[in-house]
Amino acid sequence: MLRGGAILEVIDARQAKIAEEAGASCIMVSEPPSGRGGISRMPDPSLVKEIKRAVSVPVLARVRVGHFVEAQILEAIDVDYIDESEVLAPADEDHFINKHNFGVPFVCGCRNLGEALRRVREGAAMIRTQGEIVARGCIAETVRNVRSVMGEIRILNNMDEDEVFAFAKKIAAPYDLVVQAKQMGRLPVVLFAGGGIVTPADAALMMQLGCDGVFIGNEVFDCDDPYKRVRGIMQAVRHYNDPQVLVESSSGLEDSMAELNLNEPRIEQFGRGSE
């Protein structure tokens, strides 16, 4: 249902309406930043219900890894999807939610094929590659994880049947799901990319790498015309192989994410090399 679309993170009903008008296929509800720090948890159920009333597209909300009671609460208010997210503070460091106990579809993050297939065995209906958690607009980690999943699938596709047992053991994934991925030439479920995607070019990059859609962080609203930016990203997701559409969707966007994404070690190395 969500394949070929974008899921947009919002913190209030106003942003949700902008996202829907711009063409978002799904809305992800997050708590507004409090500025006090502390443990990050699922959003307030009253906020989720308010946003569900404001939009007609599906609504997704996050829960902490392993916190099945938060999932029960969100299911009780008829949320459309639940993201068992590593972005929030984990509730259980050893166990994920048994998603087969719920009627609502779950989204889970991964960094490689083994993680993805383990989450599918637990009942995940969608896989999201993990990316940066701090909203700086850096997609390097997202690209690395997408390439990891896609690369392992290509390796699997070229294997002889008698090599699949050892490969499944190596990546610690269920054998039957590894076989299914080999037969399909892709994950058995939808694969989205998330983390640092803030421009139409970023979104098109993820689609050209083989993803079925993208998660867009709330930082896209940090500009003068969020509708134009979000609309441009939606167009790029749908027409990711059309250079003319990408030119149009990327033109005239105020770049509020223009700060350097270099980390300190890189800056120090650059400085030493220029001395």
Side-chain angles (χ1 to χ4, degrees):
M1 173 179 177
L2 298 179
R3 180 172 291 169
I7 299 173
L8 198 71
E9 180 183 8
V10 305
I11 59 173
D12 55 39
R14 179 189 68 83
Q15 290 184 353
K17 290 177 181 176
I18 292 173
E20 182 181 32
E21 291 169 2
S25 56
C26 182
I27 303 297
M28 179 169 65
V29 183
S30 290
E31 282 284 350
S34 64
R36 299 191 303 269
I39 297 295
S40 51
R41 301 180 175 87
M42 74 170 186
D44 188 319
S46 63
L47 175 63
V48 177
K49 289 192 285 188
E50 178 188 354
I51 290 176
K52 277 183 65 67
R53 288 193 296 267
V55 298
S56 58
V57 295
V59 172
L60 177 151
R62 291 175 176 145
V63 298
R64 287 177 279 174
V65 170
H67 205 313
F68 53 85
V69 175
E70 286 186 346
Q72 291 168 359
I73 292 170
L74 291 179
E75 185 175 45
I77 60 173
D78 294 326
V79 74
D80 297 290
Y81 299 92
I82 296 175
D83 187 341
E84 188 176 12
S85 178
E86 73 285 345
V87 173
L88 307 183
D92 191 326
E93 295 181 348
D94 298 316
H95 304 95
F96 283 79
I97 296 171
N98 182 356
K99 291 161 273 289
H100 295 287
N101 292 334
F102 294 84
V104 59
F106 271 76
V107 182
C108 287
C110 80
R111 291 166 294 183
N112 52 57
L113 180 60
E115 274 191 77
L117 294 179
R118 290 195 295 274
R119 300 294 84 80
V120 173
R121 168 59 76 230
E122 295 160 0
M126 179 195 294
I127 293 297
R128 163 186 47 75
T129 60
Q130 297 177 16
E132 75 159 8
I133 294 177
V134 180
R136 297 177 303 172
C138 178
I139 62 169
E141 185 178 353
T142 307
V143 170
R144 180 169 61 249
N145 292 335
V146 169
R147 285 193 178 276
S148 173
V149 173
M150 296 303 181
E152 288 177 305
I153 289 175
R154 284 193 295 272
I155 291 171
L156 175 61
N157 287 343
N158 292 321
M159 280 184 179
D160 293 332
E161 295 295 333
D162 55 0
E163 296 177 316
V164 176
F165 286 101
F167 183 75
K169 184 176 180 180
K170 178 181 177 182
I171 66 173
Y175 172 72
D176 61 318
L177 291 180
V178 174
V179 171
Q180 188 176 354
K182 177 175 171 59
Q183 292 171 344
M184 297 177 67
R186 53 161 293 132
L187 284 180
V189 299
V190 174
L191 174 66
F192 272 49
I197 302 169
V198 295
T199 68
D202 292 342
L205 173 63
M206 296 304 153
M207 299 301 290
Q208 290 191 29
L209 286 174
C211 294
D212 297 308
V214 295
F215 278 76
I216 308 298
N218 189 253
E219 59 267 29
V220 296
F221 288 98
D222 296 335
C223 61
D224 291 337
D225 190 353
Y227 173 84
K228 184 176 182 180
R229 179 183 289 275
V230 174
R231 182 64 181 169
I233 292 173
M234 301 305 161
Q235 289 298 314
V237 169
R238 294 181 180 127
H239 306 282
Y240 59 89
N241 273 326
D242 188 330
Q244 290 305 315
V245 173
L246 296 180
V247 169
E248 293 172 11
S249 62
S250 300
S251 299
L253 296 178
E254 180 218 1
D255 192 3
S256 60
M257 306 300 295
E259 68 272 12
L260 285 174
N261 290 314
L262 298 177
N263 57 30
E264 283 189 18
R266 288 182 181 169
I267 294 172
E268 290 171 1
Q269 290 167 12
F270 178 80
R272 283 196 298 268
S274 62
E275 287 176 357

